[in-house]
Every structure is written in C-alpha cells, then in structure tokens.
Amino acid sequence: MAGGDEYLNGILVLSRRDGQQTRNHGDSISSYPENWHSNSILAGFGWQMTDEHLINTTIDYNNKTKNSHYDTWDRYGKKVESFDKQRSKNNRFNLAIKDQWKPTNISWIDSLTTQLNYQRTNVYDSTDLRHKTKGNFNTQTNYNTKSYNFITTLIKSYDNQRISAGLNGKWSEDESPFFSSAKSPNASFFPDGDYSKPQADSRSYQLGGFFEDRINFNVNDSNNFYLVPGVRAVYQNTKPRNLENMSLSKINSSQLGKQYNSNSDFKVLPSMAFMYDITPDFTAYLQYKRAAQMPNQNQLYGSYLAHSTKYVLVGDSNLKTETSDNFELGLKGQPVSGVTLSSSAFYNKYKNFIAYTRYNKNFVGVGNRIVYQAENRDKAYIYGAELSSEFNIGKWIEPVNGLSARFAIGYNQGKSKSSYLGDKYIEMDSIAPMKSTIGLAWDDPNKFYGVAITATFQKGKKTEATSRESYGNDGKPIAKSKDDYFRIAGHGIVDLTGYINITKNVKLNGGIYNLTDQKYWDYLSNNKLYSTSDHKYLDMFTAPGRTFQLGLDIDF
C-alpha cells in the first residue's frame, strides 16, 4: 500500500513466502526434504519538511526459518557418514534516516544528502547429527552482528563540471556463540567437545571519503568527451573482543591475546575514466579503478580446533589487504535506431589473495601441531569480454511491430598462483565457463499480451586440481595433485514465458522452464565434485528438470 502528496507520502509492504526443496533431475536419490517460510515488512515515510529539506525514513524487517533433513557423505562422495537434520533461523532489522538538502542561498552546494543507518542481523543453526561411528550429537552455531553507518554526499555542478564528494563511517560488532554436545576422547584437553568457538568476537570501524569530478568537453559542437578522475580513501581497524569466551583448559585469554591482536590498514584508491559520445545515444569508455578488500573477521580471528591430535585451522591478525587493479574498455547505448548494445572487455589483476598455508609448528597453548594459517598466499588475474544486445525488429519492419530479439555472450578466464616453490598459474574454480543467450519475443503493440522463448547455452568445464591445501610447506617443490574432479558437461536449456493483461489492473503471467527437460549441473555450485563419486551422489546435485510457473498480479 502506498499513498501521499507532494508533502507527505508513505509505503507499507508485507510479504509472506513459503517453499520446499528444489527437486533435482537425478534418477536415484531425490532432493532431501526441506521446508522454509519467511516474513518481511517494509515501511517507508517521506516528508518534504521545507522547500530545502526532504526527509525519508525506512524500516525493514525480515525473518526466515528453514527445516531440513539430509545425509552427510564423505569427502569423495562414496558413502554416507551421518544422517542429519537442521533448523535455521535468520532475521534482519534495518532502520535508515536520510535527509536531502537543496539549499537556495549557498552557491557551492547543489545538494547534500546525509544518511544514518542501523542494522542488526542474527543467524542461528541447530544441527542434530546421527553419525555411524561417533554417535549422536547436537551443534548450535550463531552469528550476530550490529552496525551503525553514516554517509554524506555533496553534489555541485559548475560550468562543464559535476563534482561529487562524500564521507562515510561504519562501526560494527559481531559475535559467534557456539555449542556442541560432541565430546573429545581427550576430555581434559577439550572439555567442551571436539570443537571450539569458530571465531573470536570482534569490533570493527571504517572511515572513508571520496572525490570525483566529471568534466565535459564539447567536440565539433556535437560530440561530448568526458574526463572523470576520482579517488577514494579508506581506513579500517578491527580488533578481537571477549577472548575469555574462547578459552579452553590449556589455552587462556592471555595466550589468545598474543595470537589475536588488532588489525588496521589505510588505502588510497584512485580511478580514472574516459568517455566519448560517438552519437548522442552511443558512448565508448575506458576506465581504471584500484580496489581493495580488507581481511574479514574469520580470516583474522578464525579458530577451528578439531580432533586435538591432528591439526588447527586459525586466522592471522597480521594479514594484509587484498588489492586489485581493474581495467575496462566498452561501448554502451543505441548505435542505430532499434538496436541497444552493451559490450566490454576487462582485465583485473589481484595481489595478496588470502588462503590457508600449512605448517608444522608450535601453536599457542597446545605445542607442535599441523597448523593451517590464513596468509596472503596467492596472486591472480581475471580477464574476459561480454556482449549484450537487443534488436527491436518492429522498428525496421512495420508489419512485425512488437517483435524483438536478444543476444548475449560472456567469456571469462582467471588463473591464480601461490607462493609455494614450483607452483604455477592454474585456472580458478570460481570462474564460470562461457555462456550465451538467444531470445525471441513478441509483445502486442497494444500491450495486451506477450510471449518469449529464450535459449541459454553454457560450455562444459572441468576444475583443475591443485595440492595447495595439502602441501607440506617443507621446502620441496609442490607436487601435482592426484585429485580428479567431475567434468561439468556443457548444456543448453530453453525457457518459454508469456503474459496476458486481463484488465488494466490484473495481469496473468507464467512460464515453462527447461522446456526440453534437459539434465545438467550448474558449474559454479558443483565444480568440486569428484569424478570417482557414487553416481547417486552426483545425481543429487543436478538442476531441476522441466518446471512450471503461474502467477497473478493485481494492482490497484
């Protein structure tokens, strides 16, 4: 519901959603049972307080509960190790207040927008495991955060320039309460079970600012050329809290304080863009941006002390920031009437990628162990090209007014290399294989009905295995991995969709997805399946077959 006038307005949105497991297309094991429901409330209020000030307030609340039953298989997907069930609860509350000020008597400000934001999230999982050999136990994990944000943006246009600048700040706290009824064979060493708290509580704050100037030059009295220099500066400081609630019998908070300490960094991130209007509706551009991803709390303060005689997985509070240099060349807009085009080629180079390195060394409080520790271990690069286009055929051939065609294709390639002796660049498993889309649509010129058929094709790809995660870090060259991953085959799926506007306010829409009932796997979700896994296990990860959807929209 929404309503208002030029001075006051408001909106209220209520949403309830319920669902079950997404079926697979296997012929042996059906998807494990799952049901979930969510409730969302969004309330917004706008007030034109004066001629200069517009106030907007938004309250957003969402909660979701999910219940699932599933089997846990071994690493290689050959046998079931436990029979489990899980109940998850997530909720998020967000409050935002924004003031847009357009002063009439200050010449150097066109508008100044200031926003304050508060957000709280709670994530809770309770898992009951019935392990074939280790018995039954319950594990409860939580991840709770609260944050306060401030951002202000100033805009000023002057002659051929449009200047924007701003400041921002964020303060956040997180905690991860944990419980497990599992008991270690060595009860004196891990009195609270085989597992310790997964990461330390922490506090983080970030301060930043940016400046950008869009300078417009007129060329030949018709074409525009734009120069857009910019810079962003950011400082972040993170430190652990409440280390006493991570303490175990042989590791106290004082010892943990030597392992986990504060982490801070300051980065200046420049950018530059050049744009040229080939025609008023078609623009070419070249841009460069330097970006940074500062370490998160788990990478800094993570702790997974499992099966005490084996290993420890731990964060490193001395981690450096991941950085990247990003270049992009592209075209966008309408080169001719009836054609919309967007294309780009890009190259991104990354440094100080964070991964886990294996050591044999002393760990605080527990002596010599196999230690997997977060480290700035890898460097990487990604390049690719994308093309998206739409052709309004009715613009050229009047009798088929309403007929349009779409074509898109994307290609990405990415490789990474660790600092290990003898390592080489190998393909990153997070890069999707080449994908293309072809579509044909008909929309009645009077907008009474429409129908579209879309075909999507994706190339097959097999993840290249690496022994980086098991490398002994003993000074010898890294060995070639013996793991063999399941090749995700290429596939093509066809979707048929349509709509009918029954009245001005009532719209019926629907679709048949995967029309040919194709059996396939999604690469990004399943690239680490092993080729030697049981075929029943592999079948569980297939995407849904032919699927139907029907919806009714009523707007008034």
Side-chain angles (χ1 to χ4, degrees):
M1 296 183 293
D5 55 27
E6 58 183 314
Y7 297 104
L8 291 172
N9 61 76
I11 185 170
L12 178 65
V13 182
L14 307 177
S15 176
R16 165 76 179 194
R17 294 176 180 267
D18 296 88
Q20 293 181 325
Q21 68 275 8
T22 302
R23 62 177 183 166
N24 59 39
H25 200 352
D27 53 10
S28 50
I29 302 179
S30 300
S31 296
Y32 292 124
E34 176 182 292
N35 67 79
W36 57 268
H37 61 265
S38 69
N39 297 289
S40 300
I41 301 174
L42 172 67
F45 174 75
W47 176 27
Q48 188 70 54
M49 187 171 62
T50 67
D51 290 340
E52 296 184 351
H53 286 277
L54 172 62
I55 307 294
N56 285 284
T57 302
T58 304
I59 298 175
D60 177 19
Y61 176 76
N62 174 268
N63 71 67
K64 181 176 181 179
T65 300
K66 182 177 72 174
N67 297 282
S68 55
H69 293 256
Y70 56 92
D71 299 338
T72 296
W73 294 61
D74 70 352
R75 174 188 174 189
Y76 293 100
K78 291 185 176 181
K79 62 180 181 179
V80 174
E81 293 186 332
S82 66
F83 310 95
D84 312 326
K85 64 178 181 179
Q86 184 179 76
R87 180 174 178 84
S88 303
K89 294 181 179 180
N90 302 339
N91 67 70
R92 182 192 73 247
F93 172 80
N94 185 77
L95 171 65
I97 300 174
K98 182 171 70 173
D99 171 53
Q100 186 178 48
W101 178 36
K102 294 184 176 180
T104 56
N105 57 356
I106 301 179
S107 60
W108 55 274
I109 299 178
D110 288 345
S111 71
L112 182 67
T113 302
T114 304
Q115 180 169 316
L116 300 173
N117 177 274
Y118 167 75
Q119 181 168 287
R120 186 195 72 240
T121 61
N122 303 96
V123 179
Y124 169 77
D125 293 323
S126 177
T127 307
D128 292 311
L129 295 93
R130 292 187 294 121
H131 201 279
K132 285 184 175 182
T133 59
K134 298 179 181 179
N136 304 337
F137 59 94
N138 171 263
T139 298
Q140 298 174 29
T141 60
N142 299 259
Y143 189 68
N144 306 322
T145 66
K146 62 179 179 181
S147 64
Y148 305 85
N149 293 271
F150 163 80
I151 183 169
T152 180
T153 303
L154 180 148
I155 295 176
K156 172 60 182 177
S157 295
Y158 179 78
D159 290 339
N160 65 331
Q161 300 182 67
R162 186 179 187 272
I163 299 171
S164 57
L167 299 172
N168 64 277
K170 180 180 180 180
W171 175 284
S172 64
E173 294 181 347
D174 69 84
E175 59 181 14
S176 52
F178 178 84
F179 166 80
S180 176
S181 65
K183 297 300 179 184
S184 169
N186 188 346
S188 63
F189 192 79
F190 281 123
D192 302 319
D194 286 344
Y195 307 93
S196 74
K197 189 174 178 178
Q199 71 179 52
D201 299 344
S202 64
R203 180 275 301 149
S204 179
Y205 69 85
Q206 188 177 96
L207 300 172
F210 76 93
F211 176 87
E212 182 180 276
D213 188 6
R214 182 185 175 102
I215 309 170
N216 177 17
F217 301 94
N218 189 266
V219 181
N220 298 328
D221 295 327
S222 59
N223 303 85
N224 290 322
F225 173 76
Y226 303 92
L227 177 64
V228 189
V231 64
R232 184 167 66 94
V234 59
Y235 172 80
Q236 179 170 294
N237 180 283
T238 306
K239 74 174 184 177
R241 303 182 301 128
N242 308 325
L243 289 178
E244 61 276 4
N245 65 28
M246 287 189 74
S247 302
L248 298 170
S249 58
K250 290 191 177 182
I251 309 175
N252 58 42
S253 58
S254 176
Q255 291 171 312
L256 287 170
K258 297 177 182 178
Q259 177 69 34
Y260 298 132
N261 46 60
S262 63
N263 176 281
S264 62
D265 199 3
F266 173 74
K267 293 293 182 185
V268 177
L269 308 170
S271 65
M272 176 66 75
F274 304 92
M275 296 182 289
Y276 177 69
D277 290 339
I278 300 172
T279 70
D281 299 317
F282 193 51
T283 302
Y285 65 91
L286 171 65
Q287 65 180 19
Y288 162 78
K289 285 186 178 181
R290 183 162 176 81
Q293 179 64 51
M294 295 180 175
N296 62 38
Q297 286 85 341
N298 186 261
Q299 293 167 338
L300 294 170
Y301 309 125
S303 174
Y304 184 70
L305 307 174
H307 307 294
S308 61
T309 60
K310 291 189 176 180
Y311 62 85
V312 54
L313 182 70
V314 64
D316 183 2
S317 52
N318 296 312
L319 287 172
K320 299 177 183 178
T321 299
E322 296 179 358
T323 58
S324 64
D325 294 292
N326 310 299
F327 302 87
E328 184 175 350
L329 173 67
L331 298 166
K332 59 182 179 180
Q334 294 185 329
V336 296
S337 178
V339 177
T340 301
L341 179 69
S342 175
S343 66
S344 64
F346 62 89
Y347 175 80
N348 304 330
K349 185 177 182 180
Y350 301 86
K351 184 180 178 182
N352 287 330
F353 254 34
I354 296 174
Y356 282 85
T357 297
R358 176 175 169 169
Y359 295 97
N360 246 320
K361 66 179 183 179
N362 287 324
F363 181 71
V364 57
V366 297
N368 193 271
R369 299 277 299 281
I370 295 177
V371 177
Y372 290 90
Q373 188 161 28
E375 217 172 50
N376 297 104
R377 196 192 68 187
D378 297 354
K379 54 184 178 180
Y381 64 86
I382 300 173
Y383 63 88
E386 299 174 347
L387 170 68
S388 177
S389 57
E390 181 175 351
F391 305 90
N392 187 348
I393 301 173
K395 280 277 188 180
W396 312 322
I397 307 174
E398 183 62 31
V400 293
N401 184 24
L403 183 66
S404 62
R406 296 176 176 85
F407 174 74
I409 188 169
Y411 170 79
N412 301 308
Q413 178 72 54
K415 293 187 177 184
S416 65
K417 178 184 178 182
S418 76
S419 57
Y420 295 147
L421 179 65
D423 199 11
K424 63 179 182 179
Y425 279 101
I426 66 169
E427 287 194 58
M428 298 170 64
D429 55 43
S430 59
I431 304 298
M434 186 167 63
K435 182 178 181 179
S436 64
T437 302
I438 302 173
L440 196 63
W442 170 266
D443 293 281
D444 174 56
N446 296 317
K447 302 300 180 183
F448 175 61
Y449 69 92
V451 63
I453 186 167
T454 305
T456 303
F457 304 95
Q458 188 157 40
K459 187 179 180 181
K461 186 176 180 180
K462 182 177 181 178
T463 296
E464 187 175 353
T466 173
S467 56
R468 291 172 187 167
E469 307 313 317
S470 59
Y471 176 58
N473 200 27
D474 52 8
K476 298 178 182 178
I478 187 172
K480 185 177 181 180
S481 175
K482 296 180 181 180
D483 288 335
D484 185 36
Y485 292 115
F486 175 64
R487 177 177 173 80
I488 305 300
H491 62 267
I493 57 174
V494 179
D495 300 328
L496 179 64
T497 58
Y499 68 88
I500 299 176
N501 287 307
I502 300 174
T503 70
K504 180 181 178 181
N505 308 103
V506 180
K507 180 180 180 180
L508 182 70
N509 60 73
I512 306 174
Y513 301 91
N514 194 358
L515 184 66
T516 59
D517 204 27
Q518 175 78 30
K519 181 178 179 179
Y520 70 99
W521 288 261
D522 174 66
Y523 172 81
L524 290 179
S525 302
N526 303 293
N527 54 58
K528 287 296 184 69
L529 296 174
Y530 288 92
S531 61
T532 54
S533 297
D534 189 295
H535 79 278
K536 295 179 182 179
Y537 179 77
L538 294 174
D539 272 359
M540 285 195 301
F541 298 95
T542 52
R546 187 181 297 114
T547 306
F548 304 89
Q549 177 264 329
L550 186 66
L552 183 69
D553 297 334
I554 304 175
D555 300 307
F556 57 89

